[in-house]
């Protein structure tokens, strides 16, 4: 009898695109999650998070997978499928960077509220890509939430000179687009958390 072994948690291989983002890669299977974290009818300020993933040489990575989760505009995670259908807020999104011509991730959502009074509005991010045996965790904070960011205990635990790697910046020519790039290594390396 053949013993099957565990599938590695890598994006390399057919199971990444085929199993996790099939519609984005034009497979005939429905994706469980898409790049839309909040539908247009969801309450709150609708925003887009746009960015790229860069390797240590500053080259754009075209086979990363980004997953994001967050609370809604009122600071709540969805509790049931019925709530998601009623509110249009999914609370979770997934996108492969290889699906965009510029190798970007583009997540459609609403600006999160505060999950707790001492936390700044933020989005949790999980990144998986080639060459990584395990995924990484980081967060996105917002440049126009200065006062809340100063009070956030997680952001305060990050050395001051590195906090900027966790801040999404509102694009100057757009009221609802935030730019957030992820740098895997180098002098601009994004802060990753050990969870």
């Amino acid at each position: 009898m053949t013993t099957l072994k565990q599938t590695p948690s890598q994006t390399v291989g057919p199971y990444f695109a085929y199993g996790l983002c099939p519609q984005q890669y034009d497979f005939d299977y429905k994706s469980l999650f898409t790049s839309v974290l909040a539908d247009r009818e969801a309450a709150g300020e609708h925003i887009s998070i746009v960015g790229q993933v860069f390797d240590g040489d500053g080259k754009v990575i075209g086979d990363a997978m980004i997953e994001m989760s967050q609370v809604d505009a009122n600071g709540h995670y969805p509790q049931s499928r019925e709530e998601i259908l009623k509110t249009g807020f999914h609370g979770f999104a997934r996108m492969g960077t290889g699906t965009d011509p510029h190798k970007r991730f583009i997540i459609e959502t609403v600006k999160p509220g505060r999950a707790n009074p001492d936390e700044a509005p933020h989005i949790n991010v999980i990144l998986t890509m080639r060459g990584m045996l395990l995924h990484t965790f980081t967060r996105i904070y917002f440049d126009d939430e200065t006062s809340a960011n100063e009070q956030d205990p997680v952001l305060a635990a990050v050395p001051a000179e590195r906090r900027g790697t966790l801040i999404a910046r509102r694009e100057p020519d757009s009221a609802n687009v935030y730019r957030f790039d992820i740098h895997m290594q180098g002098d601009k390396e994004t802060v990753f958390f050990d969870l």
Side-chain angles (χ1 to χ4, degrees):
M1 178 176 197
T2 304
T3 303
L4 300 176
K5 296 183 179 180
Q6 183 178 10
T7 302
S9 60
Q10 297 180 20
T11 59
V12 180
Y15 40 83
F16 166 55
Y18 203 70
L20 298 175
C21 303
Q23 285 176 303
Q24 294 176 31
Y25 291 94
D26 295 325
F27 289 115
D28 292 331
Y29 299 103
K30 184 172 178 173
S31 297
L32 290 176
F33 302 101
T34 67
S35 61
V36 178
L37 206 149
D39 294 332
R40 295 314 284 157
E41 66 270 14
E45 177 188 354
H46 285 263
I47 62 171
S48 299
I49 306 291
V50 178
Q52 294 172 302
V53 181
F54 295 92
D55 67 14
D57 295 324
K59 295 179 182 165
V60 179
I61 296 170
D63 65 351
M65 183 179 70
I66 307 293
E67 295 178 326
M68 293 188 186
S69 68
Q70 68 172 79
V71 295
D72 65 14
N74 296 316
H76 299 100
Y77 286 103
Q79 300 299 311
S80 67
R81 178 148 176 77
E82 291 74 25
E83 184 179 348
I84 291 169
L85 293 171
K86 180 180 177 182
T87 64
F89 180 76
H90 303 265
F92 185 87
R94 177 184 289 151
M95 182 175 183
T97 59
T99 63
D100 180 78
H102 303 289
K103 299 178 185 173
R104 300 173 298 178
F105 55 89
I106 303 169
I107 305 293
E108 302 297 332
T109 187
V110 292
K111 195 166 182 193
R114 290 182 178 214
N116 295 306
D118 61 338
E119 288 186 351
H122 65 274
I123 299 175
N124 299 304
V125 179
I126 298 173
L127 171 73
T128 309
M129 59 171 267
R130 65 177 144 89
M132 291 175 54
L133 298 178
L134 297 173
H135 44 279
T136 60
F137 299 89
T138 191
R139 276 188 171 185
I140 298 173
Y141 291 90
F142 300 92
D143 66 345
D144 51 5
E145 296 285 349
T146 307
S147 176
N149 290 346
E150 290 171 358
Q151 300 171 15
D152 188 271
V154 173
L155 199 53
V158 174
E161 67 275 9
R162 306 235 14 243
R163 290 180 194 151
T165 68
L166 299 175
I167 307 293
R169 309 215 179 280
R170 194 180 286 259
E171 293 280 16
D173 56 345
S174 176
N176 67 340
V177 176
Y178 286 86
R179 180 75 188 199
F180 184 77
D181 291 324
I182 299 172
H183 296 266
M184 299 307 297
Q185 294 176 322
D187 57 353
K188 296 181 188 178
E189 182 180 351
T190 301
V191 171
F192 299 104
F193 298 101
D194 187 13
L195 299 178

